[in-house]
Structures are given as structure tokens and as C-alpha cells.
Amino acid sequence: MTDEVDAQDEDEIDLASLSDDELTEQMHDDLYDGLRDEIVEGTNILLERGWDPGKVLNDALVEGMRIVGIDFRDGILFVPEVLLAANAMKGGMAILRPLLAETGAPTLGKAVIGTVKGDIHDIGKNLVGMMWEGAGLEVIDIGINNPVENYLKAIEEHKPDIIGMSALLTTTMPYMKVVIDTLIEKGIREDFVVLVGGAPLNEEFGKAIGADAYCRDAAVAVETAKSLLAAKRAAA
Ligand code: B1M
């Protein structure tokens, strides 16, 4: 028993003793292994070392999740393991969210964002929401698996400037067109900047369904939201 405990102690890594590069790599491994507590600790250590929250997000968390995605695609990781990794990532994101939000002036406008019907992926959508908050938008996150009625309800309630939709599955991305077509039918499509994103989408798809723009990643979502809002206001 004592030997077992000793072996465990030896295996445990003191994250605070690692260099920045070693810690970032260790966090990629910890994300891969779904170790939420370690991700929370690593995130806090990097912040204490003066890392910018955006750099922690991109270098430690997003990069780690990219590796998880490749091995999930290649059948090396399976759904339960990826869920653990996603849960670990959320632990880090919970710390970063308020910090990213702090950096912006809260006057840019309002955005409603959600993952479309049939789709429960929310990590990318949450990132975009966080980055938008960081850029100064007020963000209303309507969550996952949203039928068009949820978007309409949020529009009525919050009167946003931007509607953001996320889809990670080839089977759910067509639903974005259902939402946009409904806005057209109701004569309100032009009231909003409509932005779409998610790994299986591309620019051509965004155009084909009538969105204002496809956003490759959260950083592009910020730039696009800012520039299209500015253009819309200038035109008005
Ligand atoms: Co799923 N999954 N998954 N999954 N999953 C993918 C998407 C997949 C590509 C994996 C693979 O096979 N390589 C594949 C889709 C294949 C396809 O459709 N062609 C897939 C599959 C098949 C499935 C299931 C069907 C698996 C199954 O049950 N057999 C199932 C579907 C469930 C459902 O939705 N109905 C499923 C389930 C899951 C989990 C629940 C286990 C988990 C989700 C946990 C969660 O989100 N809370 C999960 C995960 C984690 C993934 C991968 C590994 C990672 C996704 C992710 O979070 N990436 C993913 C593989 C991959 O994408 N490489 C995969 C990190 C995130 C930061 O990136 O989401 O792309 P991303 O977001 C980016 C940009 O795309 C963009 O900005 C973000 C930040 O830079 N963006 C936007 C995203 N949304 C935006 C909205 C905008 C703007 C930009 O609005 C303006």
C-alpha cells in the first residue's frame, strides 16, 4: 500500500515547477487525458506568470483540443474520452471568460449566438461568445440544439445586432439555412448581421445559405463582427 502511494506521488507532476513551454505541453497532455483539475491549475499558473488570457486560451487550450480532434477523427480517442477533454477545457475557459470579457468596452452592440438544432457541440460557440464579450459585445448565448423558434424568441427578447450560428456536423449545417430563410420570410433578415461558423463550413457555404459571412475561427468572428457592424452603421 505504502509503495503504491509512493509510486503515485512520484508520478504526480508539480506543474508550477515547469517552464512555460513544458507547462503548455503538459496541459496539452492533461487535456488529452481529460484532467480538469490540472487544466484549471495550469491555466491559473500561466495567468499568474503574466500570460495574456488570449494566449493561454490559444496556446494551451485550443491547441490541446486540436490534437484531441485529430485523434478523435482517426479513431484513437472515443466519445467518452473526448467528453472528458471537453470538460477539462471548460474548466480552463471558466477562468478565462471573465478576463477576456474585461478587456473590451461594453458598447459595441448585442449578439445572440447558438448551436443549431441537432447539434450539441458548444466549445467553439462558447469561444466565439467569450471572444465577442472580450471585444465589447453583449452576448446572449442560447446554448445548443436550437430550433429556429429559439432564435426568434431571443431576437424578440433581446433585439440583437448580430445573430451567430454554430454547427459542427455536416448533417446539422443545412439547418442554418432554415433559420435564415425564416428571417427572410418574416421580413427581418436585413435587421441583423448574420454570421456562421463551425469546422465543416466554408465561405462558399456561408454565401450559399445567405449569411453575411462565414467565420473560420473566433478571432475572425471578432474582426468580422466589428467590421460588418461598423459598415452597417455607416450605411444607416
Ligand atoms: Co464531435 N464530431 N461528435 N463531439 N467532435 C466532430 C465535429 C467531428 C469532426 C469529429 C471527427 O470525426 N473527426 C465529427 C463530425 C463529422 C462530420 O459531421 N463530418 C463529430 C461527430 C461525428 C460527432 C458525433 C456524431 C459522434 C457520435 O456520437 N458518434 C456526436 C454528435 C452529437 C451531436 O451533436 N448530435 C459528437 C459528439 C461529440 C462530443 C459530445 C463527444 C464532443 C462535444 C463536447 C462539447 O462541445 N461540449 C465532441 C467533440 C469535442 C468533437 C471534436 C473532437 C472537437 C470539437 C471542438 O470542440 N473543437 C470535433 C473534431 C474537430 O472539430 N476537430 C468533433 C474545438 C473548437 C475550439 O473548434 O468547434 O471548430 P470548433 O470552433 C472554432 C471554429 O469552427 C469557429 O470558431 C471556433 C473557435 O476558433 N466557430 C465559429 C465555431 N462555431 C462558430 C460560430 C460562429 C463563428 C465561428 O458564429 C458566428
Side-chain angles (χ1 to χ4, degrees):
M1 182 69 187
T2 323
D3 286 351
E4 255 175 49
V5 173
D6 286 350
Q8 269 176 12
D9 283 350
E10 272 170 31
D11 282 351
E12 240 167 59
I13 296 167
D14 176 15
L15 295 181
S17 70
L18 301 179
S19 70
D20 285 7
D21 283 351
E22 287 168 341
L23 178 55
T24 316
E25 242 175 67
Q26 183 60 42
M27 285 174 75
H28 297 164
D29 289 349
D30 289 345
L31 254 184
Y32 197 94
D33 295 334
L35 302 177
R36 186 180 172 119
D37 289 349
E38 282 75 0
I39 290 299
V40 167
E41 190 185 344
T43 301
N44 281 325
I45 293 172
L46 289 175
L47 289 171
E48 277 158 21
R49 290 183 188 174
W51 276 42
D52 176 73
K55 185 170 161 62
V56 180
L57 179 68
N58 288 321
D59 294 7
L61 301 187
V62 174
E63 176 56 18
M65 207 60 199
R66 191 184 67 79
I67 300 165
V68 169
I70 291 169
D71 280 4
F72 188 36
R73 180 197 62 203
D74 295 345
I76 298 165
L77 287 180
F78 295 97
V79 172
E81 290 144 329
V82 176
L83 265 180
L84 280 177
N87 183 47
M89 174 141 182
K90 283 183 180 175
M93 280 165 61
I95 298 166
L96 296 175
R97 173 177 286 119
L99 301 174
L100 288 165
E102 253 172 33
T103 58
T107 52
L108 202 62
K110 249 189 215 181
V112 161
I113 189 166
T115 305
V116 296
K117 186 176 170 183
D119 202 320
I120 62 166
H121 294 88
D122 67 356
I123 297 174
K125 182 260 301 164
N126 293 348
L127 270 178
V128 173
M130 280 163 59
M131 299 287 280
W132 275 354
E133 279 176 3
L137 281 165
E138 186 184 337
V139 177
I140 297 102
D141 185 339
I142 59 173
I144 54 173
N145 192 20
N146 283 291
V148 63
E149 292 77 17
N150 291 5
Y151 290 94
L152 295 175
K153 191 165 166 259
I155 286 169
E156 201 179 315
E157 200 174 324
H158 301 285
K159 316 236 172 323
D161 307 285
I162 297 177
I163 296 169
M165 285 186 275
S166 180
L168 264 285
L169 300 172
T170 44
T171 49
T172 56
M173 54 194 253
Y175 196 80
M176 293 173 158
K177 183 163 171 4
V178 174
V179 176
I180 294 176
D181 285 350
T182 307
L183 298 179
I184 295 170
E185 273 163 32
K186 294 192 169 295
I188 55 173
R189 165 66 187 86
E190 296 312 316
D191 295 352
F192 316 103
V193 171
V194 178
L195 302 178
V196 294
L201 279 63
N202 58 34
E203 213 166 319
E204 208 183 346
F205 176 80
K207 273 194 195 132
I209 63 168
D212 289 302
Y214 153 72
C215 307
R216 191 184 62 238
D217 57 33
V220 171
V222 168
E223 289 318 310
T224 312
K226 278 185 186 168
S227 65
L228 292 188
L229 269 185
K232 196 165 182 160
R233 282 177 185 152

